[in-house]
Amino acid sequence: MALLSAIGILAGAALAYEILLARLFSILLWHHFAYMIISVALLGIGASGTALAFARGPRISSSFGFGFTACAVLFAISTVGGFALAQRVPFNPLEVIWDVHQQLHLAQIYLLLALPFFASGAAIGLAFMHGSEQIAAIYRADLLGAGAGALLIVALLYVLPPQDCLRVIGGLGFVAAALTALDSGARRSAAALAALAVISTAAWPSSWLQLQPSPYKGLSVALTAPGARVLAQRSSPLGLLTVVESPVVSFRYAPGLSLSATSEPPMQLGAFTDAEALTVITRFTGDKSALDYLDQQTTALPYHLLKTPRTLILGAGGGADVLSALYHDAARIDALELNPDLIDLVRGSFSAFAGELYRREGVTVHIAEARSFVEASEQRWDLIQLALLDSFTAAAAGVQALGESPLYTVEALQTYYGHLAPGGLLAITRWLLAPPRDAIKLLATAAVALEQKGVSSPGDQLAMIHSWNTATLLMKNGRFDAAEIAAIRAFTEARSFDLAWYPGMPEAEANRFNQVAEPYLYRAAVALLGPARERFLNDYKFYITPATDDRPYFFRSFKWALLPELLAQRAQGGLSQMDAGYLVVLATLLQSVIASLILILLPLAVLRAKHRHREPGAMARWQIVLYFSALGFGFIFIEISFIQRFTLFLGHPLAAIAVVLAAFLVFAGLGSGIAAPLASRRRAVLVVAVAGIIAFAGIYLIGLPVLLPSLVSLPAPLKTAITLVLIAPLGFAMGLPFPLALKRVSAEAPDLVPWAWGINGCASVVGAVLASILAMHIGFTLVVCIALGLYAIAGVTFTTGHHQSDHEEEQKECWGNDAPHGNKAS
């Protein structure tokens, strides 16, 4: 029991470390580099399987207790020490694609971060080798522990800074080592290791773990200003929130401010999330004249078409858009923000500075995910405004390319549109890049959304204007009339903004003030709102096809056809037009595939002389490779796809990750628990399990898009319970194929058990990256279909050449490997 507990604790600590690395490297670099580093680091699990396959022999089994304990201690030390050293590698992420030196630095980081995964993988692989008769129980402990680890790290991130969570994870490694020592009878060693578990949480020097964000991130740049200082810092799973004061070089954050504006913002405090994504808290004394600059932004346009509107602001942040609504005399303001820490700071520590903004009469603050809140609401608003939620730097660098965003999909715009009062407006502002991408994609998305709602002429309900760096799109619940068009023209004329589209607009009115080589936005609007849309989407140099809930990658703009041109212009800055996130994750996939092939094919080549003689019905090496690879890919494909599907339903991306990930792991662990008593009928059980996986997942693909939206208004605890009930049968069935096959491998070729474990780990790693790339190109629905095909392949692979009857299997389980069968019976 102590050993199984140790396995569960170590597996949970490893998964918690994986999730924590994503959080840490989102702060230090950008989220797509976190994806890259974690993916490659997880190959440590595959490396551990290879190492154990080479180190096979009776010595491994006889020294199991020492080996497991040593691996657990290595995990404990390397989680904290490896990260501390990785921070000190002089790595510049912005040059990694073309600078060989940066790639070498990145390789150093890989090795340091891979070590804990190698240690945990080796420990659990040893357990599979040592306890071949307990494979199902070990796998169950592994999955249950991983599920608990996913929940634990989310809870820890609410109460501890991420760097301190590392200490706790390291301590768990010592706890696992202590339990193993206790199971081996080494009581003194167990006591010493238990003491280390307590000491390690406080013994690491704080200076080692102090987070050092990239000097190219917004927070790092802001802190270089004379006199700049951090006023407050809050940490949660949603991000590290840092409030900065810069009295000498003041913040002047007003996206899209007219170049002819005569007023400027009052003093502002910068609020950075994960050292980027700037929002500001603006000083407000109650004097509206100090806020005149708010009428000089493109975001002010809807207030010149609506009088005292009931307003919903999606992404309130530090309150700039709420101030704009107050300035323009909105009748009622519903302000929505996902991060409660930011609301707490504006309401609390900086309440006086912000003029009690979030406590003012008529302002109601809601802490919720924007899309889910609107879908669950029965209200209608005159104006729904989607705030500019990301920084210009992040948008221009393409670091969001692989970030899923349910806010800008066709279905999202239809949801907002459905909650507009008659004549109401949806206003969305995006950064205006050169050449334009986001603005054109947004316009295309709006046109498709309206058409799917039955609007025959979507151009009559759309308008767009732009400044030198922002574009604002209006979607009206009804047609724009002549008076509104006149108001739009007057607004832009007075502020030197440019018209991009209004119904009946001539080209001569475009590109007048903030001039570029051609009126790109206007010509794009004409094409997108006319019969040439498909041709324009295909021919445009960037990818601007509308995002959908099945492919929610609004920020993806890179096309492979553009790559030769960008490379040819790299000396003129052509590479800056690439989606950095997309290319980095593709590089991750390539590296993961190469490393996985080495980890799988190398032991295959070395071990091929072994086990040349196979008993009838035994799995061939190619079957082991195909089967465990298919399981690894299939499991992670389904897991990632269902996290995405439940995000809107649960109303919080973090809730979806924690609940769905934990549910799959826990129920799969419970499913694996029945594998042992069913091992004598494993062929039939596996066929039933695969059939169950295909049936449940297929039903969910069809039913969830209909079921979940109808239940989205239910209370959060009830939605969580529904999620668990829905995932339970699918997760339970997914827990059976791995232990059933590993038990068979253990009986037929025990030396290949760690190799099979490593293959499955490698496939899971590559699959985590591949799932997102596939979803971007073909959608999550087809990713699940591919996963079901992989499970079907695994089922066929397991039964191919499996000629023994279930009765013979049962005999073998009773007699062991020397059971009489075939013509050996005599």
Side-chain angles (χ1 to χ4, degrees):
M1 187 62 185
L3 176 59
L4 292 177
S5 298
I7 291 169
I9 289 171
L10 195 57
L15 187 60
Y17 181 59
E18 174 190 348
I19 296 172
L20 182 60
L21 276 183
R23 185 88 289 285
L24 287 165
F25 278 91
S26 291
I27 298 169
L28 300 176
L29 303 175
W30 285 273
H31 73 274
H32 62 282
F33 282 100
Y35 207 166
M36 182 178 192
I37 291 168
I38 290 174
S39 177
V40 178
L42 276 172
L43 286 173
I45 296 174
S48 69
T50 301
L52 290 177
F54 287 150
R56 66 192 184 279
R59 184 180 300 177
I60 290 287
S61 181
S62 63
S63 59
F64 165 74
F66 174 80
F68 191 101
T69 302
C71 288
V73 170
L74 177 60
F75 173 87
I77 295 172
S78 59
T79 49
V80 184
F83 175 78
L85 292 173
Q87 271 210 108
R88 284 153 177 77
V89 176
F91 174 58
N92 180 1
L94 300 181
E95 298 178 358
V96 68
I97 296 174
W98 55 81
D99 186 344
V100 174
H101 294 92
Q102 298 306 323
Q103 293 168 11
L104 293 175
H105 291 322
L106 187 59
Q108 291 177 270
I109 296 175
Y110 289 165
L111 293 174
L112 290 167
L113 298 181
L115 196 53
F117 296 105
F118 177 88
S120 62
I124 297 173
L126 281 170
F128 279 125
M129 294 174 67
H130 175 73
S132 57
E133 71 287 348
Q134 290 185 291
I135 281 177
I138 293 170
Y139 188 56
R140 180 179 61 217
D142 175 50
L143 291 179
L144 292 176
L151 296 175
L152 172 66
I153 191 60
V154 172
L156 282 176
L157 283 168
Y158 275 113
V159 296
L160 293 174
Q163 60 269 36
D164 287 341
C165 292
L166 271 177
R167 303 173 187 268
V168 177
I169 292 172
L172 289 175
F174 282 118
V175 170
L179 287 172
T180 311
L182 185 64
D183 186 68
S184 301
R187 295 183 178 274
R188 289 186 179 180
S189 297
L193 290 166
L196 280 174
V198 177
I199 295 171
S200 68
T201 58
W204 292 96
S206 297
S207 59
W208 279 38
L209 299 177
Q210 186 65 37
L211 298 185
Q212 303 168 20
S214 166
Y216 302 99
K217 298 197 79 172
L219 175 61
S220 301
V221 174
L223 290 176
T224 61
R229 63 191 183 103
V230 173
L231 297 181
Q233 196 166 69
R234 299 283 183 87
S235 179
S236 78
L238 293 172
L240 180 66
L241 184 62
T242 308
V243 179
V244 176
E245 178 187 44
S246 184
V248 178
V249 182
S250 302
F251 288 102
R252 291 288 185 264
Y253 187 72
L257 187 67
S258 168
L259 294 175
S260 62
T262 57
S263 59
E264 63 180 25
M267 181 179 178
Q268 296 175 328
L269 304 177
F272 296 87
T273 299
D274 288 347
E276 195 62 80
L278 173 66
T279 183
V280 291
I281 304 171
T282 304
R283 183 168 61 189
F284 182 46
T285 62
D287 179 13
K288 284 190 176 182
S289 64
L291 303 178
D292 286 346
Y293 77 98
L294 292 171
D295 198 45
Q296 303 296 311
Q297 296 176 264
T298 60
T299 52
L301 173 60
Y303 295 107
H304 288 255
L305 306 181
L306 300 168
K307 301 300 181 184
T308 61
R310 295 164 295 170
T311 302
L312 171 64
I313 296 171
L314 304 179
D321 291 288
V322 178
L323 278 177
S324 183
L326 286 172
Y327 177 85
H328 291 101
D329 299 319
R332 189 186 81 230
I333 304 168
D334 289 301
L336 209 67
E337 173 56 40
L338 182 63
N339 192 340
D341 285 340
L342 185 53
I343 297 299
D344 186 56
L345 286 171
V346 178
R347 275 179 171 168
S349 304
F350 304 105
S351 180
F353 182 89
E356 304 287 338
L357 178 62
Y358 286 159
R359 299 182 186 275
R360 286 185 168 265
E361 184 178 355
V363 178
T364 304
V365 179
H366 308 269
I367 299 172
E369 193 276 328
R371 172 87 177 274
S372 298
F373 176 87
V374 176
E375 287 189 343
S377 177
E378 297 180 357
Q379 297 185 55
R380 287 177 176 264
W381 291 271
D382 301 310
L383 172 62
I384 298 178
Q385 193 164 44
L386 186 56
L388 195 54
L389 303 173
D390 55 309
S391 70
F392 179 80
T393 302
V399 299
Q400 301 163 297
L402 264 79
E404 299 168 25
S405 177
L407 298 178
Y408 300 100
T409 64
V410 170
E411 294 86 348
L413 267 59
Q414 290 173 341
T415 297
Y416 310 145
Y417 180 82
H419 285 76
L420 291 173
L425 295 172
L426 168 64
I428 305 176
T429 298
R430 289 298 312 153
W431 296 109
L432 185 61
L433 306 177
R437 281 153 273 177
D438 287 13
I440 296 178
K441 192 168 190 173
L442 182 61
L443 186 61
T445 305
V448 172
L450 286 172
E451 284 181 349
Q452 291 183 1
K453 294 289 283 187
V455 176
S456 58
S457 181
D460 292 340
Q461 297 182 211
L462 297 172
M464 178 179 277
I465 67 170
H466 71 89
S467 67
W468 62 282
N469 73 338
T470 62
T472 295
L473 171 74
L474 298 185
M475 178 192 289
K476 185 183 176 185
N477 185 7
R479 296 186 174 212
F480 283 102
D481 57 34
E484 290 169 329
I485 291 173
I488 294 171
R489 294 174 67 192
F491 178 85
T492 55
E493 180 81 24
R495 293 158 183 79
S496 300
F497 293 145
D498 280 291
L499 294 161
W501 174 258
Y502 66 76
M505 175 182 165
E507 184 172 330
E509 291 191 41
N511 202 28
R512 294 174 58 202
F513 300 104
N514 305 277
Q515 293 186 355
V516 290
E518 299 177 28
Y520 295 112
L521 289 183
Y522 171 78
R523 291 179 182 175
V526 171
L528 292 171
L529 298 171
R533 179 189 302 161
E534 290 303 319
R535 180 179 175 184
F536 181 81
L537 292 175
N538 292 329
D539 292 346
Y540 198 70
K541 288 190 175 183
F542 291 93
Y543 184 83
I544 54 169
T545 299
T548 65
D549 281 355
D550 195 45
R551 289 192 284 178
Y553 296 94
F554 176 81
F555 301 105
R556 176 206 166 183
S557 63
F558 178 72
K559 275 185 176 179
W560 280 105
L562 183 61
L563 184 60
E565 181 178 340
L566 295 180
L567 290 174
Q569 297 178 1
R570 61 183 179 274
Q572 290 79 40
L575 292 175
S576 65
Q577 302 295 332
M578 292 185 178
D579 283 344
Y582 182 75
L583 293 179
V584 166
V585 177
L586 281 179
T588 300
L589 178 63
L590 179 61
Q591 291 170 336
S592 299
V593 168
I594 292 172
S596 297
L597 289 176
I598 292 173
L599 292 171
I600 293 170
L601 295 182
L602 179 60
L604 178 62
V606 173
L607 299 174
R608 65 183 177 181
K610 183 87 172 174
H611 309 297
R612 282 185 176 176
H613 171 73
R614 295 190 304 119
E615 295 183 2
M619 291 183 77
R621 290 187 300 276
W622 69 266
Q623 288 178 291
I624 295 174
V625 172
L626 184 57
Y627 182 89
F628 287 98
S629 296
L631 289 191
F633 281 114
F635 196 103
I636 199 70
F637 280 10
I638 290 177
E639 197 173 63
I640 289 176
S641 298
F642 274 75
I643 288 174
Q644 187 273 337
R645 288 187 177 275
F646 279 93
T647 295
L648 287 177
F649 177 63
L650 293 172
H652 200 297
L654 187 63
I657 292 171
V659 173
V660 176
L661 182 60
F664 268 112
L665 292 171
V666 169
F667 286 113
L670 295 176
S672 71
I674 69 168
L678 297 176
S680 61
R681 298 286 186 269
R682 53 177 167 250
R683 181 182 183 186
V685 172
L686 186 128
V687 170
V688 171
V690 169
I693 293 168
I694 294 173
F696 280 113
I699 292 170
Y700 290 163
L701 280 180
I702 299 170
L704 289 183
V706 178
L707 176 66
L708 296 185
S710 66
L711 303 176
V712 74
S713 61
L714 294 175
L718 187 54
K719 289 194 290 185
T720 300
I722 290 171
T723 301
L724 295 175
V725 169
L726 289 172
I727 290 176
L730 178 58
F732 191 88
M734 288 168 64
L736 284 164
F738 183 88
L740 286 172
L742 199 64
K743 179 68 174 176
R744 182 179 171 190
V745 173
S746 177
E748 296 169 354
D751 289 343
L752 298 182
V753 166
W755 186 55
W757 166 250
I759 291 170
N760 185 259
C762 288
S764 298
V765 174
V766 176
V769 184
L770 187 58
S772 291
I773 294 175
L774 286 175
M776 180 179 292
H777 291 277
I778 63 175
F780 281 106
T781 297
L782 288 180
V783 170
V784 174
C785 292
I786 291 173
L788 300 186
L790 289 168
Y791 271 104
I793 290 171
V796 172
T797 302
F798 186 83
T799 55
T800 299
H802 196 293
H803 302 304
Q804 290 173 301
S805 68
D806 281 343
H807 175 69
E808 289 171 323
E809 285 282 351
E810 188 172 1
Q811 280 188 319
K812 192 166 184 178
E813 292 295 329
C814 295
W815 287 86
N817 288 334
D818 294 328
H821 59 86
N823 58 17
K824 277 188 174 183
S826 59

